[in-house]
Amino acid sequence: MFEEFYTPLPDQDAYLKRIGESKKPCSLEALDSLILSHQKSVPFENLDQYYNKTASSSIEKLFDKIVTRNRGGYCFEQNALFVSLLQSLGYKAYSSDARVIRGKDLTAPILILHRVNLVEFEDGLYFCDVGYGGPMPSFAIKVEDGSSRTCNGETFYIKKADGPWWIIGRITSEGLNEDIIMFRTQKVENCDFFVLNYYASSNPLSVFTNLRLLNRRTDDGNVSITNDSFTITSGGKSESITITDDAHFLALAKEYFGIDYSFSKE
């Protein structure tokens, strides 16, 4: 029933071309390059979830959406396809589940509603994520209590939490520690994300069915859309404008996110 979640990546070369990369021997440096290139080339976006209450799940459909049709996706889509790419390149990679805790009250229950990826190297396990629509490292970081890494002008850390949980966070521009995601390191099967993906893409209580969200990393910042607000962040400074109508939105989606979206066809 769930064989479609485990089919091989249709075209490794096409995927690498989509993100402006070439095949290299497996290494931490090469993995860092793949993560950064992916975040700059493939936008986080939830247009299918917001407008149609649907999501892609199978490897073939994800490849068609992200690579062939030049779209983006959210965590259950992007990290699913990215881990398939890593495996095809020879990395010992797998996915696990996570809770988004940024800005949340940790005394209240928080849904497991995020998919992350982990990669095994000889010196240990590394966290990587290309499918989170907020601040996330553009590089891999070792899963070790007290681990921290600074790359591309950003510093992220990992610390042990209760039970099987780990926390990844960042040092903000104000020098403060900001916890972002709580994740586990056990392997979660592709088919086990099906129900989470279905809830996130179709339930009226899901943030993804209520907010129109787009985000893409740039050379010196990012561009983002939250509902009717379009923001460019560059060099630590942000400027926002209000999106006036659907035509304005479609033009911004095309120019800044590379998405040629059509309400009638999606």
Side-chain angles (χ1 to χ4, degrees), residues 43-47 133 211-216 222-227 229 231 243 249 252-254 257 259:
F44 173 94
E45 53 107 337
N46 69 327
L47 300 184
L211 293 177
R212 181 170 65 181
L213 302 167
L214 295 90
N215 189 293
R216 183 179 63 80
N222 66 85
V223 288
S224 65
I225 289 176
T226 300
N227 278 345
S229 178
T231 302
I243 300 172
F249 166 74
L252 291 172
K254 177 66 174 178
F257 302 91
I259 298 174

Side-chain angles (χ1 to χ4, degrees), residues 96-97 143 160-167 182-186:
S96 192
D97 52 12
V143 181
K160 190 70 176 70
D162 293 337
W165 296 97
W166 295 79
I167 290 174
M182 181 180 288
F183 67 96
R184 293 188 282 198
T185 58
Q186 88 284 3

Side-chain angles (χ1 to χ4, degrees), residues 10 15 18 41-78 81 197 201 213 257-261 266:
Y15 195 158
R18 167 77 170 94
S41 302
V42 182
F44 173 94
E45 53 107 337
N46 69 327
L47 300 184
D48 289 348
Q49 294 77 39
Y50 181 74
Y51 286 109
N52 303 310
K53 309 300 183 282
T54 61
S56 299
S57 295
S58 73
I59 297 300
E60 282 194 7
K61 289 180 179 178
L62 289 170
F63 184 88
D64 176 66
K65 178 181 181 179
I66 293 173
V67 178
T68 304
R69 294 193 285 127
N70 211 50
R71 287 281 305 278
Y74 70 162
C75 69
F76 296 115
E77 298 172 317
Q78 289 210 48
L81 195 64
N197 193 8
S201 63
L213 302 167
F257 302 91
I259 298 174
D260 191 7
Y261 193 76
E266 298 297 329

Side-chain angles (χ1 to χ4, degrees), residues 96-134:
S96 192
D97 52 12
R99 308 179 194 273
V100 177
I101 61 175
R102 185 186 183 213
K104 303 287 181 62
D105 176 8
L106 296 186
T107 63
I110 300 173
L111 282 175
I112 291 177
L113 209 59
H114 188 55
R115 176 172 182 159
V116 301
N117 292 326
L118 296 148
V119 180
E120 298 179 33
F121 286 106
E122 288 187 1
D123 68 328
L125 195 63
Y126 283 75
F127 173 99
C128 63
D129 190 338
V130 298
Y132 179 60

Side-chain angles (χ1 to χ4, degrees), residues 133-150:
M136 190 49 55
S138 57
F139 46 88
I141 179 169
K142 191 173 184 180
V143 181
E144 186 175 77
D145 192 25
S147 173
S148 68
R149 195 171 177 212
T150 301

